[in-house]
Amino acid sequence: MSLIVQKYGGSSVADAESIKRVAKRIVETKKAGNDVVVVVSAMGDTTDELLDLAREVTPLPAPRELDMLLTAGERISMALLAMTIKGMGYEARSFTGSQAGMITDARHGAARIVDVTPVRLRAALDEGDIVIVAGFQGFSRDTMDITTLGRGGSDTTAVALAAALGADICEIYTDVDGVFTADPRVVTRARKIDRITMEEMLELAAAGSKVLYIRAVEYARRHGVTLHVRSSFTTGEGTIVYNPPGSVPPRPHKDGVTVEEPIIAGVAADLSEAKITIVGVPDVPGKAAQIFTIIAQSEANIDMIVQNVSAAKTGLTDISFTLPMANGSATMQALEAARDEIGFQALQYDDQIAKIALVGAGMRTNAGVSAQLFTALYEAGINIEMISTSEIRISVVTRADAVEDALRAVHTAFGLDSDEEAIVYAGTGR
Ligand code: ASP
Ligand code: MG
């Protein structure tokens, strides 16, 4: 008998009809002889609606109360799903995050999992019940309060439970057929990927692919959980995200082509970042340390950093970096306050940028990928403002309004286009 964890995103449980459809699917899995643990998100756009409501009553809702409010969304869907299944004549029981043993630290809105103790889930499974768990939420032993894991946290709940229960597979149900070579909402010729490594999936998620949350992929990699990303609207196979045995990079074929994996897994884009340029920084030891210590204090997660060659005459250089737009104003203020201390001339803020990333494990063993990427962008008339690379990723910054053209051009240039148009079943992207 297998133990299967299934996670259904908001678009898969958006209304009563959807809940009934999902319930049938869960019962089928149970009838096939499996133990089933289901993790649900809040229905449709419930979380966003609750957030709007909170901001209507007060501009800065108290974090503890916001978590109390938001966790209600998942409670609604878990209870409705459990009663639907019971109405079909099968045993099901729903559990909140704290009942399920999701123990977190006390950081409201961004809690990290510190322990998973699914004692009650085990007992319910042993009694033959289908177990339904509210995603995205936990409980802090320090404060005895309810917490949330951050937006999209239900993926993480599912993976953490799969790891703790030793599940055979963790199925992530969404409104597209799996992980695609690019966002099918933008690149209609995007192709479904059948199998992708955790490492590649991590890079794609980090680069803005929204199909899986990066924390969930990190957790799955660390704990050896295999993921199956698939549509709740069809029965087809989706994408298997797996930890390669021994996680060794693929060996090159004799003519230089990798046998096991395609060179490029996919391309992702991120519009949520901004760029800050610090103009006229004295080019002496210690300046970068000083600047990035100040930035770190504003808690911004910075990504690309570019320092220009300093002009010999002035001994001054420019430093640019990207960061989440949400951290933009706090970081600008912190830098402005340290202007005299650092001794720079000016600050520039630009939030009209897009970051595009090309990801593929085959890059390790294949030359010329950068040249091909830059050529594709050049031929599409797109200017590159910043470049950064890792072993299996190349990222570039372009103007925000060029992002869709850039994605399509790169997708075509690397031979990723499919013959058919990709299908998007819902619309919320989750
Ligand atoms: N409902 C939460 C959100 O929308 C958690 C999730 O969907 O995973 O962010
Ligand atoms: Mg949601």
Side-chain angles (χ1 to χ4, degrees), residues 10 41-42 44 47 74 151 430:
S41 290
T47 308
E74 270 71 13
R151 295 308 305 271
R430 294 293 297 146

Side-chain angles (χ1 to χ4, degrees), residues 130-151:
I130 293 169
V131 166
I132 319 278
V133 180
F136 158 73
Q137 52 183 266
F139 172 78
S140 160
R141 283 185 185 133
D142 298 335
T143 59
M144 308 282 271
D145 275 328
I146 301 293
T147 57
T148 61
L149 307 180
R151 295 308 305 271

Side-chain angles (χ1 to χ4, degrees), residues 152-168:
S154 301
D155 288 357
T156 316
T157 304
V159 173
L161 285 177
L165 293 165
D168 295 277

Side-chain angles (χ1 to χ4, degrees), residues 88-338:
M88 292 165 69
Y90 291 83
E91 282 312 315
R93 222 183 307 171
S94 65
F95 296 91
T96 64
S98 50
Q99 287 174 325
M102 298 294 303
I103 311 300
T104 70
D105 62 17
R107 284 212 292 165
H108 288 293
R112 312 282 304 186
I113 297 166
V114 296
D115 198 6
V116 183
T117 54
V119 186
R120 295 194 62 188
L121 308 192
R122 270 254 173 263
L125 286 173
D126 289 346
E127 285 169 31
D129 289 5
I130 293 169
V131 166
I132 319 278
V133 180
F136 158 73
Q137 52 183 266
F139 172 78
S140 160
R141 283 185 185 133
D142 298 335
T143 59
M144 308 282 271
D145 275 328
I146 301 293
T147 57
T148 61
L149 307 180
R151 295 308 305 271
S154 301
D155 288 357
T156 316
T157 304
V159 173
L161 285 177
L165 293 165
D168 295 277
I169 190 116
C170 179
E171 299 181 331
I172 306 281
Y173 285 93
T174 180
D175 57 6
V176 288
D177 285 330
V179 180
F180 280 75
T181 49
D183 185 347
R185 291 169 183 78
V186 178
V187 180
T188 50
R189 297 282 170 201
R191 187 194 293 265
K192 193 198 84 190
I193 303 169
D194 292 332
R195 291 171 64 78
I196 186 171
T197 63
M198 282 291 164
E199 186 187 29
E200 289 172 315
M201 194 61 236
L202 265 182
E203 291 277 12
L204 281 178
S209 162
K210 288 178 195 65
V211 67
L212 276 177
Y213 272 79
I214 187 160
R215 277 176 61 188
V217 185
E218 267 167 4
Y219 205 106
R221 174 148 88 151
R222 213 159 337 110
H223 295 266
V225 177
T226 304
L227 305 175
H228 186 178
V229 181
R230 57 198 306 192
S231 165
S232 71
F233 296 80
T234 59
T235 51
E237 291 283 301
T239 302
I240 299 285
V241 190
Y242 68 103
N243 288 291
S247 291
V248 278
R251 239 178 290 126
H253 198 244
K254 52 176 175 312
D255 52 8
V257 181
T258 48
V259 226
E260 291 93 338
E261 317 284 351
I263 299 173
I264 301 303
V267 45
D270 188 353
L271 285 164
S272 68
E273 297 252 315
K275 176 172 82 172
I276 291 179
T277 303
I278 312 172
V279 182
V281 182
D283 192 6
V284 294
K287 283 296 152 190
Q290 207 180 353
I291 289 169
F292 288 99
T293 303
I294 289 164
I295 296 167
Q297 280 156 3
S298 69
E299 300 231 333
N301 227 328
I302 52 156
D303 185 25
M304 288 187 186
I305 302 173
V306 174
Q307 176 175 335
N308 291 337
V309 176
S310 64
K313 245 193 252 153
T314 58
L316 296 177
T317 185
D318 299 340
I319 295 178
S320 299
F321 59 92
T322 59
L323 78 174
M325 247 183 244
N327 297 110
S329 64
T331 305
M332 285 293 280
Q333 277 169 27
L335 285 170
E336 195 52 65

